[in-house]
Amino acid sequence: MSASAVFILDVKGKPLISRNYKGDIAMSEIEHFMPLLMQREEEGALAPLLSHGRVHFLWIKHSNLYLVATTLKNANASLVYSFLYKTVEVFSEYFKELEEESIRDNFVIVYELLDELMDFGFPQTTDSKILQEYITQQGNKLETAKSRVPPTVTNAVSWRSEGIKYKKNEVFIDVIESVNLLVNANGSVLLSEIVGTIKLKVFLSGMPELRLGLNDRVLFELTGLSGSKNKSVELEDVKFHQCVRLSRFDNDRTISFIPPDGDFELMSYRLSTQVKPLIWIESVIEKFSHSRVEIMVKAKGQFKKQSVANGVEISVPVPSDADSPRFKTSVGSAKYMPEKNVVIWSIKSFPGGKEYLMRAHFGLPSVEKEEVEGRPPIGVKFEIPYFTVSGIQVRYMKIIEKSGYQALPWVRYITQSGDYQLRTS
């Protein structure tokens, strides 16, 4: 059992648009939602599920909107929340930004989408690429488009249309890893994790079946490949696109799927392994007689020498009353951003093993500030191509299609900064 009705409310709780799927709950019940929410907020007991008598409100907040599903007892809550988040995703892909203005500007399309996303309280077509085949953003096309329902809606493979043809059959695979890191002022690593995604760009004819092989530790142990020669990684929190055959993966760790056309995220994973900080930062901040401050920052590339970090940005916090900036850098350029109270040291190309210096000099007002400012951490942004910090590898990509055409898979690896912070003393 799923949602009875879905509402989109503005930030004050006023309904902008709603869709009643079952008719078993009075639409006026939504008037109880905002008072309940505010009461719970005041009590400090805010919850994602609120109840008024027999009626339950399952809600999420996005931008300046509340998306609320109403239901009676015995609803599958995880299904309802998945539906609400999927609705946000579909609307965002249609309107670029999902906010009050985009709902007001697109009432007709929003109603059309709500009708297709759910039927009598049960999720239906939730893939925006398929929806875009017959719900277009030009209002005058809506009526004619309705008469032609694409075969994907009744297809077993609802995320891919039949009859797709390409002159050149190719698959582009991007393995992107973000490094989240928090280092204490004394240099000890407090938090370290890798969040990975494998994204595909598919230009393949027909209905191909793809099989992706990774150096997955569990797979290696199952097939007897584990050993010193075969480096493997242990993936945690693996999440797949709906196209992946989960039962097959559970049985023998084979990632087998018929892909959607074009861009999509095949899977995501996490590794909570201890990561050696790829770009290490040391800083010394000296204040002189409350009239000036000098900051020295040393950055070192702690990754292999063959690799290069691109677009490196090191954000160094400075006192909020600093002025008259002067900089000296051994490489790159430094820029003071007073609205953010930071110096951004930009280095276009940072090879592994290299060490660079930046010195900044600021004037401070002669009157000493009474309050002691907490010093924010130094933040680092970077991207290292042709490199994964976990050592994950695409071992093979098999493409099977009944017409037997040849197809080329291309693989690219990228490591980038996620939430990467180093605290200063």
Side-chain angles (χ1 to χ4, degrees), residues 112 116 133-135 141-150:
E112 290 270 338
E116 294 299 331
E133 287 187 28
Y134 61 107
I135 296 182
K141 285 189 185 174
L142 281 169
E143 291 307 310
T144 54
K146 255 198 251 180
S147 59
R148 183 189 63 82
V149 178

Side-chain angles (χ1 to χ4, degrees), residues 103-261:
I103 295 292
R104 290 188 186 279
D105 290 348
N106 296 280
F107 271 138
V108 176
I109 295 164
V110 171
Y111 269 122
E112 290 270 338
L113 288 169
L114 287 173
D115 273 349
E116 294 299 331
L117 285 162
M118 187 172 270
D119 185 33
F120 197 66
F122 293 96
Q124 294 292 106
T125 308
T126 57
D127 192 296
S128 63
K129 282 184 183 170
I130 301 305
L131 288 164
Q132 283 167 16
E133 287 187 28
Y134 61 107
I135 296 182
T136 63
Q137 281 177 275
Q138 289 81 12
N140 61 339
K141 285 189 185 174
L142 281 169
E143 291 307 310
T144 54
K146 255 198 251 180
S147 59
R148 183 189 63 82
V149 178
T152 43
V153 175
T154 53
N155 214 359
V157 184
S158 62
W159 53 87
R160 185 179 179 90
S161 303
E162 288 189 14
I164 296 169
K165 285 183 182 173
Y166 287 101
K167 282 183 180 177
K168 194 176 182 182
N169 290 291
E170 295 178 301
V171 181
F172 296 88
I173 307 163
D174 278 349
V175 181
I176 303 162
E177 290 191 338
S178 297
V179 179
N180 295 334
L181 188 82
L182 180 59
V183 178
N184 212 342
N186 63 11
S188 57
V189 176
L190 299 179
L191 177 142
S192 162
E193 68 171 5
I194 302 159
V195 178
T197 56
I198 297 181
K199 295 182 178 179
L200 267 62
K201 193 176 275 191
V202 176
F203 304 111
L204 294 175
S205 306
M207 294 292 271
E209 181 174 323
L210 275 54
R211 286 179 198 158
L212 179 71
L214 303 172
N215 58 334
D216 169 16
R217 185 163 297 165
V218 179
L219 172 68
F220 276 25
E221 284 166 2
L222 281 172
T223 53
L225 284 169
S226 52
S228 57
K229 286 182 182 178
N230 297 303
K231 287 186 179 176
S232 60
V233 293
E234 194 163 348
L235 305 176
E236 301 167 41
D237 294 346
V238 181
K239 294 184 182 73
F240 288 113
H241 186 275
Q242 69 187 75
C243 67
V244 175
R245 294 187 178 93
L246 294 180
S247 57
R248 181 85 193 265
F249 182 75
D250 289 340
N251 286 338
D252 60 13
R253 303 291 281 196
T254 299
I255 302 168
S256 172
F257 56 99
I258 295 171
D261 190 42

Side-chain angles (χ1 to χ4, degrees), residues 54 57 61 81 150 156 196 199 229 233 266 290 397 403 409:
R54 291 176 63 233
F57 302 102
K61 192 177 184 190
Y81 287 118
K199 295 182 178 179
K229 286 182 182 178
V233 293
L266 176 72
H290 312 298
M397 168 68 89
S403 63

Side-chain angles (χ1 to χ4, degrees), residues 322-338:
D323 58 22
S324 315
R326 295 204 312 269
F327 305 111
K328 191 176 182 182
T329 59
S330 61
V331 71
S333 60
K335 186 182 179 184
Y336 177 42
M337 301 184 77

